[in-house]
Amino acid sequence: MRFTDFIILAVHIGISKALQPDGLRLPVAEWRQRVSLSELSLSATGFSDSSPLSIDDSHCQALSENFTQKCNAFVNCTLRYAQPVGVCLNCYKEFYDYKSLYGIISSQDKGSTDNCSQILLKSDRLQVFVVFNDFFHMLWEESECENCVSDTEIKNDTLYFLNVLQITKSCFDTYQQPGNYSDVCKQCKENYSHLNEVYNKMGKNSTLCIDIEDMMNMTRKMWSKTFNCSFSRLEAVPVIAVSSFMLFLPIIFYLSSFLHSEQKKRKLILPKRAASSSNLMNIQEKNS
């Protein structure tokens, strides 16, 4: 699909409610038949190489063409790494390049003569630039990509997970044999267990993105379904023992406190009895 085709489809899907009343929207296939892309003029939105933007401003024209290239790069990268999911780790440079350019366009001085923000973002009802920006940001946020990458590099927690994952998969490749995966379960158990620990820690620290989640899901499926491996229940005994101890710890504490207080009361009472008996003996001796 050409990028211009993608633009038409995205705009049609995103703003169809605004352009047509409910119940009158056409299916995409029928809509595409009624529109000849070869005859459609895209000069109003600035996405045609042959028709320049219909404004008397070379600066805004350059921004429009650059925006088209950035969108094209991000869309191509996203589709290339759609399955298995690798959008965050492979397309973050394209996304932040596009985001930076959109920020430049939207921050143009509204009081200047080259008000590209007003010309490119708000001069028509379709607002193609805004539609694409909202869609890209929705894709990026729902993928939680910022948990794994910044605008310039992959974060350290993500790099560490990828390293542990590579070690685990290398172990799988080393010990797997067609029809016999018992060696994988034995030799790679520690690596796989460590990988799960790293992944669970990342989940608690909110440093997971959709790429990492997809990688872990495939690895777990490979471990349990392909290799038919599982953890022994004996490995859970220490965890259960510690959990049980922590559960009964408050009861033990209150019980020991109660016994200690009762013993202390008895010690305080005994001297009083001894003192009263000695006084009684002194009174008897005086009377005699």
Side-chain angles (χ1 to χ4, degrees):
M1 178 184 293
R2 294 184 303 168
F3 186 59
T4 52
D5 293 15
F6 179 83
I7 292 173
I8 298 300
L9 288 176
V11 173
H12 169 70
I13 295 172
I15 64 173
S16 58
K17 290 185 178 180
L19 297 180
Q20 301 185 40
D22 293 340
L24 297 180
R25 285 174 290 167
L26 296 175
V28 175
E30 183 177 349
W31 180 82
R32 285 176 58 87
Q33 291 177 358
R34 297 191 179 188
V35 178
S36 175
L37 292 178
S38 61
E39 298 177 357
L40 182 63
S41 174
L42 297 175
S43 60
T45 56
F47 288 102
S48 174
D49 295 334
S50 59
S51 300
L53 194 68
S54 58
I55 55 176
D56 297 329
D57 196 315
S58 58
H59 175 59
C60 296
Q61 173 67 37
L63 287 177
S64 176
E65 294 176 354
N66 196 8
F67 182 83
T68 304
Q69 296 174 0
K70 300 297 184 184
C71 287
N72 195 7
F74 181 64
V75 169
N76 288 336
C77 184
T78 301
L79 295 177
R80 188 182 309 119
Y81 294 101
Q83 192 58 243
V85 181
V87 175
C88 300
L89 301 181
N90 294 283
C91 304
Y92 66 94
K93 292 182 179 179
E94 287 80 359
F95 175 79
Y96 285 108
D97 284 347
Y98 141 78
K99 182 180 179 182
S100 176
L101 179 59
Y102 187 87
I104 293 174
I105 296 175
S106 61
S107 63
Q108 293 291 308
D109 186 6
K110 295 182 179 181
S112 65
T113 56
D114 59 342
N115 184 6
C116 297
S117 174
Q118 183 66 30
I119 295 173
L120 299 177
L121 304 183
K122 303 176 183 178
S123 61
D124 60 272
R125 186 173 58 164
L126 296 181
Q127 297 184 347
V128 176
F129 283 66
V130 178
V131 169
F132 269 81
N133 179 66
D134 293 343
F135 173 73
F136 289 164
H137 273 272
M138 178 195 68
L139 176 66
W140 201 252
E141 291 174 0
E142 290 187 355
S143 301
E144 298 181 308
C145 292
E146 292 188 356
N147 291 339
C148 293
V149 298
S150 65
D151 56 343
T152 58
E153 60 185 3
I154 300 175
K155 294 183 178 180
N156 291 332
D157 288 345
T158 305
L159 290 175
Y160 182 71
F161 173 85
L162 294 175
N163 182 55
V164 177
L165 177 64
Q166 182 60 40
I167 294 174
T168 304
K169 288 191 174 183
S170 296
C171 185
F172 291 170
D173 295 337
T174 301
Y175 291 100
Q176 65 174 316
Q177 298 177 2
N180 184 9
Y181 302 117
S182 58
D183 289 342
V184 174
C185 301
K186 294 178 182 178
Q187 302 297 332
C188 305
K189 180 174 62 177
E190 292 185 4
N191 292 331
Y192 180 74
S193 177
H194 181 49
L195 179 65
N196 274 279
E197 291 175 359
V198 174
Y199 179 81
N200 293 334
K201 184 178 179 180
M202 292 179 68
K204 293 178 180 179
N205 296 336
S206 299
T207 55
L208 290 176
C209 61
I210 193 171
D211 294 25
I212 301 300
E213 293 175 356
D214 191 63
M215 291 177 188
M216 194 65 202
N217 288 337
M218 290 190 296
T219 306
R220 285 175 171 173
K221 184 177 180 180
M222 185 183 300
W223 176 263
S224 60
K225 298 293 182 62
T226 304
F227 302 143
N228 197 24
C229 300
S230 62
F231 288 114
S232 175
R233 293 187 177 181
L234 294 176
E235 297 179 358
V237 172
V239 178
I240 297 175
V242 173
S243 302
S244 301
F245 175 77
M246 296 301 294
L247 179 63
F248 287 100
L249 186 60
I251 299 176
I252 298 173
F253 172 77
Y254 286 115
L255 181 60
S256 61
S257 299
F258 175 76
L259 295 175
H260 180 71
S261 62
E262 289 294 325
Q263 186 178 5
K264 190 173 183 181
K265 287 181 180 179
R266 291 179 182 178
K267 290 181 179 179
L268 293 175
I269 293 173
L270 288 176
K272 291 182 179 179
R273 292 179 179 177
S276 60
S277 61
S278 61
N279 292 334
L280 181 58
M281 293 176 63
N282 291 334
I283 294 173
Q284 291 177 352
E285 290 176 355
K286 289 180 181 179
N287 291 335
S288 59

